[in-house]
Amino acid sequence: MGSTDARAGVRSGTGQGREPEKPGRGPGPKEATGTAGTAGTEVSGGAGGSGGGTGSGGGTGSGGADDLAGLEAGLDALDAVETRRTPLRETLVRKVLPPVVAVALVLAVWQILVWAEVTDAYKLPAPSAVWDSLSEMWLQGTLFGVMWTSVSRALLGFVLALAIGTPLGLLVARVKVVRAAIGPVLSGLQSLPSVAWVPPAVLWLGLNDRMMFAVILLGAVPSIANGLVAGVDQVPPLFLRAGRTLGATGLRGAWHIVMPAALPGYLAGLKQGWAFSWRSLMAAEIIASSPELGLGLGQLLDNGRSNADMPGIFLAILLILLVGIAVDLLVFSPLERAVLRRRGLLGRG
């Protein structure tokens, strides 16, 4: 702006100091001197204005750099994650004490109901009677065997469901024709109670482990596939376009772009798939009891019903519940925390 004014001043000053030249007559000495003086004055003023403009521009540039540095520092502060280690006492108070108190309250209410004799003793056994049944199985050495029979079946069936449900979910999520064809079928199978598959599975495959695995697969595969489909649907399109630009297409794009971006939804589907696997197995073990299948938790529950052994029934229910809680705490909860921590949604404390 200062330079422009200076040039305008030079032209203006020059025009005012010079008279129109007449033909055959050059400028006189006085006129030449006046013209040069006026031009020099205007040029000097323009130079001063230009220098002032330069100084002002330098100050503005310095202030902009400071503002940019402050903005970057603020963004870094927003991205920073607290990394302090949680003290042991705080961990015990926040994570261990609440469930312990809840269990103690349930046992206290249970015992109060027994003392109040709200129903017959054979319908509502005391906690001590259930403890006696647990102690008897422990002394006989059958407790862990019964639990492992069911847990091993559920884990193997879940791995098979994972191997089938993951590619199926990717296929449904990425191919529109397949999604239109079998997407509603997967949703319907997920809402179908797993116990409905037990009678046809027994007729098709007989009373054996294959029947158990078939029921687990029919219950878990739809949940895993639908969870992955939901996760893929939530992937921002910008990620997919960026992956294609970088050459990540086909299987490479699915492995490096789609699966990491859809991981939260996929993990939720895995968690739900495990729940369906465990419930399907319990339904199959309760309905299809046979000595050839061994004694699992479902058979233990059915044996308690057949023998009118209410403490044994309560014990089987508690063991089934215990396995479900243990798998969630030892497998899925750490995976969820790891995913949230990597995405900056959970502190490391």
Side-chain angles (χ1 to χ4, degrees), residues 19-343:
E19 295 181 356
E21 295 183 2
K22 297 180 180 180
R25 180 177 178 272
K30 292 182 178 181
E31 294 175 352
T33 304
T35 301
T38 304
T41 302
E42 295 295 338
V43 169
S44 300
S50 175
T54 304
S56 175
T60 304
S62 177
D66 293 340
D67 293 341
L68 182 59
L71 178 60
E72 292 177 350
L75 293 176
D76 291 340
L78 289 175
D79 290 338
V81 179
E82 187 179 1
T83 59
R84 71 179 183 88
R85 188 177 185 84
T86 306
L88 179 60
R89 181 177 179 181
E90 183 178 352
T91 302
L92 293 176
V93 171
R94 294 176 56 185
K95 297 184 178 181
V96 178
L97 186 60
V100 171
V101 172
V103 172
L105 288 176
V106 170
L107 292 176
V109 172
W110 183 1
Q111 186 61 53
I112 291 173
L113 293 176
V114 172
W115 286 337
E117 297 182 352
V118 295
T119 186
D120 296 332
Y122 72 90
K123 294 182 180 179
L124 182 63
S128 58
V130 179
W131 177 260
D132 292 339
S133 297
L134 177 64
S135 301
E136 182 179 356
M137 291 189 65
W138 174 267
L139 294 176
Q140 292 176 354
T142 58
L143 179 61
F144 288 109
V146 171
M147 295 180 65
W148 178 246
T149 298
S150 295
V151 171
S152 60
R153 284 174 181 162
L155 290 177
L156 182 56
F158 178 72
V159 171
L160 293 175
L162 183 64
I164 297 174
T166 300
L168 180 61
L170 279 175
L171 189 64
V172 172
R174 302 297 293 166
V175 181
K176 294 182 179 180
V177 176
V178 177
R179 184 168 191 163
I182 66 174
V185 177
L186 288 176
S187 299
L189 290 176
Q190 185 176 358
S191 63
L192 182 67
S194 303
V195 68
W197 291 110
V198 177
V202 171
L203 295 177
W204 292 337
L205 303 173
L207 291 174
N208 49 43
D209 285 335
R210 291 183 301 168
M211 179 271 298
M212 298 286 185
F213 293 139
V215 174
I216 293 174
L217 291 177
L218 290 171
V221 168
S223 298
I224 296 175
N226 284 329
L228 183 54
V229 170
V232 173
D233 289 343
Q234 297 174 6
V235 175
L238 180 61
F239 290 3
L240 303 178
R241 291 197 297 268
R244 287 193 294 267
T245 302
L246 297 174
T249 59
L251 293 178
R252 293 181 60 187
W255 178 255
H256 294 288
I257 304 296
V258 177
M259 289 299 294
L263 190 56
Y266 180 50
L267 187 58
L270 293 182
K271 190 174 182 178
Q272 190 176 20
W274 163 256
F276 274 83
S277 298
W278 188 238
R279 284 162 37 180
S280 302
L281 176 62
M282 291 301 102
E285 288 185 351
I286 291 172
I287 296 177
S289 298
S290 173
E292 299 178 358
L293 294 173
L295 183 61
L297 292 175
Q299 285 93 347
L300 180 66
L301 182 59
D302 187 65
N303 290 343
R305 178 195 61 82
S306 301
N307 299 327
D309 181 14
M310 189 59 70
I313 293 176
F314 270 72
L315 176 60
I317 293 174
L318 292 176
L319 291 177
I320 294 171
L321 180 64
L322 178 62
V323 171
I325 294 175
V327 172
D328 181 72
L329 292 178
L330 298 178
V331 179
F332 292 107
S333 291
L335 287 176
E336 288 178 341
R337 288 196 298 269
V339 171
L340 293 176
R341 186 177 296 118
R342 290 186 60 184
R343 293 171 182 261

